[in-house]
Amino acid sequence: MEYFVQQLINGLTLGSIYGLIAIGYTMVYGIIGMINFAHGDIYMIGAFVGIIGFIVMAILGITWIPLALLLVLVMAIVFTSVYGWTVERIAYRPLRGSQRLAPLISALGMSIFLQNYVQLLQGARVKPMQPMISGGLQLMDGGVGGFTVGMSYMQIIIILLTVVLMAAFTLLITKTALGRMQRACEQDKLMAALVGVNVDRTISLAFVMGAALAAVAGVMVTLYYGVIDFYIGFLAGLKAFTAAVLGGIGSIAGAMLGGLAIGLIEALWSAYFSVEYKDVAAFSILILVLIFRPSGFLGKPEIEKV
Amino acid sequence: MLNISGVHTFYGAIEALKGVSLEVETGEISTLIGSNGAGKSTLLMTICGSPRARWGKVLFEGRDITKMPTHEIVQLGIAQSPEGRRIFSRMTVYENLQMGAIRNTEDRFERNISRVFELFPRLKERRNQRGGTLSGGEQQMLAVGRALMSEPRMLLLDEPSLGLAPMVVKQIFEVIKQINQDDKVTVFLVEQNAFHALKLAHRGYVMVNGNITMSGTGQELLVNPEVRSAYLEGGH
Ligand SMILES: Nc1ncnc2c1ncn2[C@@H]1O[C@H](COP(=O)(O)OP(=O)(O)O)[C@@H](O)[C@H]1O
Ligand SMILES: [Mg+2]
């Protein structure tokens, strides 16, 4: 029982990260019907900006952790958003209106480009980072010889931050003019333009918002695992993409749910079956979902009464 | 107010408008009638810049809008209720109306929405219902209401009576008249329902195959034998 609870906590943490990344996939898919395969690498860039940010904070002598964390998050969000915006401008917008395959190939190219770009700038070796936030809470004491359930402060931060961000983001999409413009462009771009929405700018914004959330995920992962490399975006991206599909691609709530599901599946699988095959488990789910329920948990039905 | 001269619009190699010229005078209701496929919807969309005219000019209040992006054109004070209504089906009635006012300031919103609810009390009842679940007539009301939310000086209406029951058609035409007379909105109305449209309009144009073939006051066209035999005989 204690062991299971511990895995739930680990899975929830992991799922938060996947969920944050998955929103970027789902938003871009929702608005332009395209899988942004470079999104995982945007997240990787967020992680790198994070690690550089912490070094900068150390140099500036900002050692109070909450402030350092906040500044690094802001920095990562800003830089990563610029990358997200630029990727859309140079790799996707020129191809808008062409066949479906063209932007997909462009996205794969962009992904490879970003990985090599970071590898050139930062080197291929893994970047370690001193643990900044250590310690945690003991939730259940297993007694002598038993299993003690703990939740590290880092896990608490990740889960809380994710909950807050997702709540804020949901409010933004459902209740604000900006969110309505996003949804309008998702449903009918021509009509959105006819009421005065700048469609190109709204699409850019979808990339920026997705990148901002991925940046937060990147910084969190850097702190959580303490090592990153230029290749982390690939696997995390694929998992987050799986999460988005599982939740129903195009649905923001679905991306959050899907992220949690994938995180939990991965943690529980690692705990009870085999760590080596945890990725296989996650991707088997992708395949099963695609076969049996392509629209995911919360996917929108294809046919709408017009 | 709106001045269209020598406009040619293409879909790929297909020339849908073959040199259209017409004028919509300030304060009037002008109507464009013509059979299916004549190019009426294309003209309304060309005014809004999507698709764009390849040749010719569109002037709105003297300003050349031919090459402007759609979202900028409509911000000049043009609103369209397009062919097929294009309600945001996964948004509520209220959100659809908010979309119509997306470029307006907060303080004008309350005034405009109460006016729309006054014109279409039905929309008020259904304010929290999703657009996609409305009946055809309600969707049409919503499309017109949404267009009015931007407080336009010119309203473009594409076949608002299409597929609606006679009672609803009557109601919609009544509202168009009110919008024009009471709210001083200039109206450009595209219709296949030529009888109602010509009766309502100050000025009318007939489009055949991408060309304007006839024009005159609504009354003149209504009694014109050619118009009568082509668009008015049988039914109505
Ligand atoms: N998106 C489109 N692509 C290609 N051809 C089109 C398109 N829309 C309309 N057309 C063609 O342009 C012509 C005019 O269409 P339209 O403006 O819709 O006529 P109307 O509104 O008078 O019925 C028709 O021949 C139609 O087939
Ligand atoms: Mg038409």
Side-chain angles (χ1 to χ4, degrees):
Chain A
M1 175 63 193
E2 284 81 8
Y3 187 58
F4 178 74
V5 173
Q6 183 67 65
Q7 297 316 318
L8 278 188
I9 293 173
N10 296 346
L12 223 55
T13 312
L14 207 55
S16 298
I17 306 266
Y18 292 147
L20 286 175
I21 308 174
I23 292 176
Y25 282 104
T26 227
M27 281 193 74
V28 165
Y29 184 85
I31 205 161
I32 53 175
M34 173 206 135
I35 312 289
N36 178 12
F37 278 115
H39 185 59
D41 303 292
I42 291 290
Y43 148 80
M44 175 270 290
I45 286 178
F48 271 88
V49 178
I51 221 167
I52 295 167
F54 285 118
I55 294 170
V56 172
M57 292 306 133
I59 292 171
L60 293 179
I62 299 172
T63 51
W64 191 48
I65 289 176
L67 179 65
L69 186 58
L70 185 72
L71 289 177
V72 169
L73 276 175
V74 170
M75 190 174 143
I77 287 172
V78 170
F79 274 91
T80 311
S81 298
V82 171
Y83 276 97
W85 183 84
T86 311
V87 165
E88 193 268 337
R89 275 313 268 267
I90 64 180
Y92 308 144
R93 190 178 296 185
L95 294 172
R96 206 167 293 152
S98 59
Q99 302 164 9
R100 274 176 93 83
L101 209 51
L104 217 62
I105 293 167
S106 184
L108 287 171
M110 204 66 213
S111 164
I112 295 167
F113 170 80
L114 288 174
Q115 283 174 24
N116 284 282
Y117 163 77
V118 172
Q119 187 185 359
L120 268 178
L121 285 181
Q122 298 291 325
R125 257 185 285 166
V126 298
K127 296 252 165 226
M129 193 183 135
Q130 294 291 326
M132 251 179 68
I133 300 166
S134 48
L137 300 177
Q138 250 185 32
L139 300 182
M140 288 186 203
D141 195 342
V144 181
F147 188 87
T148 303
V149 178
M151 196 171 183
S152 70
Y153 290 132
M154 203 52 231
Q155 288 181 317
I156 296 174
I157 292 176
I158 290 177
I159 293 171
L160 277 185
L161 192 60
T162 303
V163 167
V164 168
L165 277 178
M166 287 188 174
F169 192 71
T170 304
L171 278 181
L172 179 82
I173 293 295
T174 54
K175 298 282 185 242
T176 68
L178 200 120
R180 279 193 294 278
M181 285 195 232
Q182 288 288 333
R183 286 184 286 143
C185 287
E186 254 172 44
Q187 293 179 36
D188 186 343
K189 286 184 195 54
L190 181 56
M191 191 61 229
L194 279 178
V195 294
V197 174
N198 185 338
V199 175
D200 279 337
R201 192 192 293 162
T202 308
I203 292 172
S204 286
L205 212 59
F207 277 81
V208 165
M209 291 191 280
L213 293 175
V216 175
V219 173
M220 292 299 122
V221 152
T222 306
L223 286 172
Y224 190 46
Y225 291 123
V227 284
I228 56 168
D229 62 54
F230 71 97
Y231 205 59
I232 58 165
F234 178 72
L235 209 53
L238 264 181
K239 297 233 183 89
F241 169 64
T242 304
V245 173
L246 181 62
I249 192 137
S251 156
I252 288 168
M256 300 174 186
L257 270 180
L260 276 188
I262 295 290
L264 287 172
I265 288 164
E266 198 177 312
L268 294 173
W269 183 280
S270 311
Y272 293 105
F273 300 100
S274 82
V275 188
E276 288 81 35
Y277 289 113
K278 69 177 164 58
D279 299 339
V280 177
F283 298 131
S284 304
I285 300 227
L286 175 62
I287 293 167
L288 289 176
V289 170
L290 287 176
I291 294 173
F292 294 108
R293 194 170 158 75
S295 59
F297 296 150
L298 305 178
K300 291 159 189 156
E302 287 297 312
I303 300 152
E304 285 274 342
K305 186 174 162 193
V306 182
Chain B
M1 179 171 244
L2 182 73
N3 206 308
I4 297 168
S5 56
V7 161
H8 295 252
T9 300
F10 290 76
Y11 293 108
I14 303 164
E15 187 174 11
L17 299 182
K18 302 167 181 165
V20 172
S21 300
L22 60 79
E23 244 168 84
V24 176
E25 297 289 342
T26 308
E28 289 191 352
I29 298 178
S30 300
T31 189
L32 175 66
I33 59 174
S35 47
N36 210 355
K40 307 181 296 298
S41 300
T42 304
L43 181 62
L44 285 196
M45 289 311 294
T46 301
I47 295 170
C48 293
S50 175
R52 220 165 272 294
R54 187 174 297 178
W55 302 305
K57 262 194 187 349
V58 182
L59 302 182
F60 179 64
E61 294 179 328
R63 182 168 183 176
D64 189 348
I65 60 170
T66 324
K67 297 202 158 53
M68 253 188 215
T70 303
H71 67 273
E72 286 177 20
I73 293 174
V74 299
Q75 286 175 48
L76 297 175
I78 300 178
Q80 179 167 178
S81 158
E83 176 163 53
R85 296 150 199 163
R86 305 188 88 128
I87 296 305
F88 295 113
S89 57
R90 294 194 296 271
M91 289 188 186
T92 64
V93 167
Y94 193 78
E95 285 177 321
N96 268 279
L97 294 174
Q98 284 180 310
M99 281 312 296
I102 202 102
R103 289 297 165 205
N104 266 7
T105 52
E106 259 332 285
D107 54 316
R108 283 153 75 187
F109 181 81
E110 285 308 321
R111 179 159 43 106
N112 290 331
I113 201 162
S114 37
R115 177 63 177 148
V116 168
F117 284 158
E118 187 185 352
L119 291 168
F120 300 111
R122 196 54 168 272
L123 293 182
K124 189 171 188 174
E125 287 165 31
R126 313 242 145 173
R127 58 197 290 169
N128 295 320
Q129 195 171 322
R130 266 143 92 65
T133 65
L134 297 177
S135 73
E138 289 161 350
Q139 289 199 356
Q140 188 57 59
M141 294 173 196
L142 182 53
V144 175
R146 178 179 59 189
L148 289 175
M149 285 303 292
S150 67
E151 233 177 274
R153 289 196 297 283
M154 186 167 80
L155 183 61
L156 310 176
L157 298 169
D158 197 339
E159 303 206 41
S161 72
L162 190 69
L164 303 185
M167 273 299 295
V168 185
V169 173
K170 215 175 139 207
Q171 194 192 346
I172 298 257
F173 275 90
E174 189 50 46
V175 167
I176 295 171
K177 197 169 164 181
Q178 280 182 46
I179 295 167
N180 176 251
Q181 288 180 352
D182 305 345
D183 306 65
K184 309 282 179 254
V185 179
T186 305
V187 177
F188 188 28
L189 170 68
V190 159
E191 264 298 342
Q192 277 192 60
N193 192 334
F195 177 70
H196 274 103
L198 289 173
K199 251 179 55 178
L200 188 67
H202 303 96
R203 191 180 306 270
Y205 295 91
V206 178
M207 183 178 263
V208 177
N209 226 334
N211 288 297
I212 300 289
T213 54
M214 265 183 276
S215 65
T217 65
Q219 200 52 39
E220 279 165 13
L221 291 179
L222 212 45
V223 299
N224 180 305
E226 270 181 73
V227 174
R228 289 192 75 87
S229 70
Y231 304 104
L232 297 173
E233 314 281 75
H236 309 303

